[in-house]
Amino acid sequence: MSDIRHSLIRRDALSAAKEVLYHLDIYFSSQLQNAPLPIVDKGPIELLEEFIFQVPKERNSQPKRLNSLQELQLLEIMCNYFQEQAKDSVRQIIFSSLFSPQGNKADDSRMVLLGKLVSMAVAVCRIPVLECAASWLQRTPAGYCVRLAKALVDDYCSLVPGSIQTLKQIFSASPRFCCQFITAVTALYDLSSDDLIPPLDLLEVIVNWIFEDPRLILITFLNTPIAANLPIGFLELTPLTGLIRWCVKAPLAYKRKKKTTLPNGHMNNKIAKESVAGIDRDFHLLYSKLHLSVLQVLMILQVHLTEKNLYGRLGLVLFDHMVPLVEEINRLSDELNPLNASKEIELSLDRLAQALQVAMASGALLCTRDDLRTLCSRLPHNNLLQLVISGPVQQSTHTALPPGFYPHIHTPPLGYPAHAAHPAHPALPAHPAHPALPAHPVQTFIPGMTFPYRPIR
């Protein structure tokens, strides 16, 4: 690597950047012939930091600065490289070497350039770059993923009006990137404050993507080998938890935003009232469509969990993530005052009840009724939620196991302790249990296939 460095020092910044990609392409192509997952050592990383990110090797040296035109040319060089490299394995390892955080001073430059590269790839539809970015989002700590999502949202929702249509079109080009982007966006916008409510344009794009094919949000899960213990601090396998949070918190979050933006909580201008009412209606319809799509995905999830032999063993909607959601709903309900937000509280709790019920029945959420009773005990009263908490429990066909469990809890979940059983409600009729696992039909996932279920209009 030292010989390569000496030859690159004599070149101008753009020539050196192009040359370092060429040398590392040869280096990693050779390594991949000997090992399917070669270890990226310090040498290639240092070359990339010095000649791509312009971070000098010597501590006392001043970092070089590319002007705007040179930076654009560098992005074009990188885009063209990933487009022209035919081997996906080489593309992936070069992308990872370029943009995997190293915990050093080059990380800021690394993230800035990554945001601009992916933004350009969206604009000119460079699918290889988007696919590499999807893999990067899957294996990089969530904090960095949120930074990339924020950069893209700024570019396509704030910087240039109308450019959101360009982002919308990548759905057909790279569904895998769209899935990971949605997961990162739901981590970014958690509705905990008015600043963390997703922009209307972004919300509309994501809802339309998912409504067109709800299975989009399962792409990463369906195409990833599942480890027994999922890594902590990374994005989740699906955006399901984040989307449930959006749907459940939205009525209360928008009510809070309206309350804080109006002087004394009142609006006198008729035109302003009509404008706000129209925006509220748009948000309401979008979240209703999204909630429907999320429930549809949860309903088909049981089949896919069974295919992977994970039914009842892996929760894609973690109970631990439902705890802060319920706490936030309770806090918002108290903050808004039930007398002034009764409709919003009712809608929020209805959606929570529906999501919990369908997630439990499909095996996405692993918990017992006792868990739910404890979790929801402090929430305002809601008829549907009470029905879910105390409703009928499906009985097991396994006579050796105690009653009161959903079928998917018979097998201890991966990484979870087995829950204690509680007796079923004797006054309610038992529902027929699910058949044994092999009896479930197998449904092959086809990314381009239109989702067959549509709401009754």
Side-chain angles (χ1 to χ4, degrees), residues 193-412:
S193 67
D194 292 349
D195 294 334
L196 294 177
I197 293 176
L200 178 59
D201 286 348
L202 176 67
L203 176 66
E204 186 174 7
V205 166
I206 289 176
V207 171
N208 288 336
W209 281 349
I210 298 172
F211 196 73
E212 183 172 338
D213 186 352
R215 288 175 301 177
L216 169 71
I217 61 181
L218 296 180
I219 285 180
T220 301
F221 165 67
L222 294 175
N223 295 283
T224 302
I226 308 298
N229 295 307
L230 297 178
I232 298 173
F234 292 76
L235 292 180
E236 296 184 49
L237 277 173
T238 76
L240 275 169
T241 301
L243 294 174
I244 290 172
R245 184 192 305 118
W246 277 15
C247 297
V248 171
K249 287 182 65 176
L252 301 176
Y254 283 94
K255 183 71 173 180
R256 176 194 60 203
K257 183 177 182 180
K258 189 190 299 184
K259 181 181 177 182
T260 56
T261 53
L262 298 181
N264 302 319
H266 297 288
M267 184 181 294
N268 299 320
N269 188 310
K270 182 180 178 182
I271 296 176
K273 283 183 179 180
E274 292 175 353
S275 174
V276 170
I279 293 173
D280 284 350
R281 190 162 52 249
D282 290 342
F283 277 118
H284 175 74
L285 290 173
L286 287 171
Y287 281 109
S288 294
K289 285 176 66 175
L290 181 61
H291 183 59
L292 172 64
S293 298
V294 168
L295 294 179
Q296 288 177 328
V297 172
L298 289 171
M299 289 171 66
I300 65 170
L301 192 54
Q302 178 180 316
V303 173
H304 297 304
L305 286 167
T306 303
E307 287 176 359
K308 287 178 169 279
N309 195 29
L310 295 172
Y311 185 66
R313 303 175 63 227
L314 178 71
L316 290 178
V317 178
L318 296 180
F319 184 79
D320 287 348
H321 292 176
M322 292 294 102
V323 173
L325 174 59
V326 169
E327 290 174 350
E328 289 166 16
I329 296 169
N330 194 50
R331 180 183 57 79
L332 278 171
S333 300
D334 291 341
E335 180 185 322
L336 291 171
N337 186 344
L339 294 176
N340 299 324
S342 58
K343 290 183 179 178
E344 289 80 5
I345 293 172
E346 187 79 7
L347 178 57
S348 179
L349 294 176
D350 281 347
R351 287 179 178 172
L352 175 66
Q354 291 168 351
L356 290 174
Q357 172 67 21
V358 179
M360 286 179 68
S362 66
L365 175 63
L366 305 179
C367 67
T368 65
R369 300 278 183 185
D370 280 342
D371 295 329
L372 286 187
R373 289 190 189 99
T374 304
L375 177 65
C376 302
S377 59
R378 296 181 60 192
L379 288 173
H381 177 80
N382 176 270
N383 291 335
L384 185 57
L385 188 58
Q386 288 300 313
L387 197 62
V388 171
I389 292 172
S390 59
V393 179
Q394 293 176 323
Q395 298 302 310
S396 168
T397 55
H398 300 279
T399 55
L401 293 166
F405 274 65
Y406 271 91
H408 57 266
I409 299 180
H410 296 157
T411 307

Side-chain angles (χ1 to χ4, degrees), residues 424-439:
H425 198 296
L428 296 170
H431 285 242
H434 289 294
L437 294 186

Side-chain angles (χ1 to χ4, degrees), residues 85-105:
Q85 171 54 258
K87 294 182 179 179
D88 182 62
S89 57
V90 177
R91 283 199 303 263
Q92 292 287 352
I93 197 168
I94 293 285
F95 196 93
S96 178
S97 301
L98 276 164
F99 298 115
S100 291
Q102 301 298 316
N104 58 24
K105 62 183 180 180

